[in-house]
Amino acid sequence: MAEMSSGRRLVGEMISEAMAMFIIIALGDSAACMFTLYDPSPYKQAYWGVCIAWGLAVTIAIYVTGAVSGTHANPAVTLALAVFRGFSWKKVIPYCAAQVAGAFLGAAVVYLMFGPVIDHFNLVHHLSRAGDGGAAGVFFTHPGEEITPLHALMDQVILTAFLMLAIFAITEEWNTVAPMANSGALIIGLLVALIGASAGYLEAWALNPARDFGPRLFAFLAGWGPQALPSPGNYWWVPIAGPLIGGLVGAGAYQGLIRPYLPPRSQRKEQQAEPSTASNG
């Protein structure tokens, strides 16, 4: 096969990143619709089902697109890789734009499927899109009970730091206890589900600027207007800034506190041949 030009390769990578976010949002926001719009909800007494749905959406996205672009599927990941892992700065903006575009299209498909159910939900509960933000939570995130925007910013920094710390560990080629081969995709999906199960009710665990902004932009154009942008309390920027900061914090923590103390390369082959004793106490 002839070698691709750098321009054609970048186009393919952007399509891959858009497709990854399309998969994540189309499936993840559909799970949010199932949780929110139906009474009784199939998930009300089984919130873990929503978490695992989001996590498996991430896993599937990685399996579909990982060989093309590495499946960043998150501007926070792209930025952290550029800062700490040598990812090309020239690709940061194209990757991020593709991720937002894919999330926008994913939200459009969710609306195409669940639009009548959204309208029925708002009618039954006497809500409107632009006035009350009826059912907006199926598309984008917002603070939970007693959570202010500034507190949400702190939460998103902390949670995304956990996400990036773990992603860097899972994908570290010299980490002898990291998942082998393609099983890393499943572990990253379970990681996303774990964060949702641990703290999702705070503000719906955005962790990803594209995951929030793409659907938020779609909802703005689909009739939610100011409830989406700038949103009550001018909240729209929090799920963008928080994950970007948190991603750098988590990646920096791994690079500075863990990576320098990995076993010397001469010992790694020996350790890879031995079973891990980490779970034996």
Side-chain angles (χ1 to χ4, degrees):
M1 181 180 293
E3 186 175 346
M4 272 188 285
S5 67
S6 59
R8 181 174 173 79
R9 185 179 301 108
L10 178 59
V11 169
E13 291 169 353
M14 291 175 66
I15 292 172
S16 173
E17 287 297 302
M19 179 65 74
M21 283 306 303
F22 174 82
I23 292 169
I24 292 168
I25 296 301
L27 296 177
D29 274 3
S30 289
C33 286
M34 295 286 285
F35 181 84
T36 302
L37 302 177
Y38 291 91
D39 188 13
S41 165
Y43 288 128
K44 283 297 185 187
Q45 302 304 318
Y47 172 65
W48 173 245
V50 177
C51 298
I52 199 65
W54 276 99
L56 288 176
V58 171
T59 294
I60 295 303
I62 295 172
Y63 283 138
V64 171
T65 67
V68 177
S69 68
T71 315
H72 297 188
N74 185 337
V77 172
T78 300
L79 178 61
L81 290 174
V83 171
F84 294 107
R85 291 281 177 91
F87 181 71
S88 173
W89 282 100
K90 293 180 180 179
K91 294 183 178 182
V92 169
I93 292 178
Y95 264 52
C96 293
Q99 291 155 8
V100 172
F104 181 97
L105 294 174
V109 166
V110 171
Y111 184 78
L112 181 65
M113 294 191 294
F114 287 93
V117 187
I118 290 171
D119 290 339
H120 176 74
F121 175 88
N122 286 342
L123 180 64
V124 168
H125 292 87
H126 309 290
L127 300 172
S128 65
R129 297 182 187 185
D132 305 304
V138 305
F139 292 110
F140 52 85
T141 68
H142 54 86
E145 294 183 8
E146 308 302 324
I147 302 297
T148 64
L150 286 180
H151 187 95
L153 177 66
M154 177 189 69
D155 292 339
Q156 287 303 303
V157 170
I158 292 171
L159 294 176
T160 311
F162 275 117
L163 175 73
M164 202 63 60
L165 175 72
I167 287 175
F168 267 43
I170 291 166
T171 59
E172 170 62 67
E173 63 176 320
W174 302 119
N175 182 0
T176 57
V177 297
M180 302 301 291
N182 294 327
S183 61
L186 178 59
I187 302 304
I188 290 173
L190 290 174
L191 168 65
V192 171
L194 171 62
I195 294 173
S198 301
Y201 269 31
L202 289 171
E203 55 276 326
W205 91 105
L207 307 176
N208 181 338
R211 174 267 173 273
D212 188 84
F213 186 71
R216 188 182 292 275
L217 181 58
F218 172 81
F220 173 79
L221 297 174
W224 277 267
Q227 293 293 326
L229 286 169
S231 76
N234 200 38
Y235 182 76
W236 70 274
W237 64 274
V238 172
I240 297 175
L244 290 175
I245 297 169
L248 294 177
V249 170
Y254 181 83
Q255 293 293 104
L257 301 177
I258 299 297
R259 199 167 194 258
Y261 304 104
L262 290 174
R265 295 188 184 187
S266 60
Q267 298 179 17
R268 287 169 187 159
K269 290 184 180 179
E270 297 177 8
Q271 289 195 3
Q272 286 172 342
E274 298 174 355
S276 171
T277 60
S279 61
N280 295 335

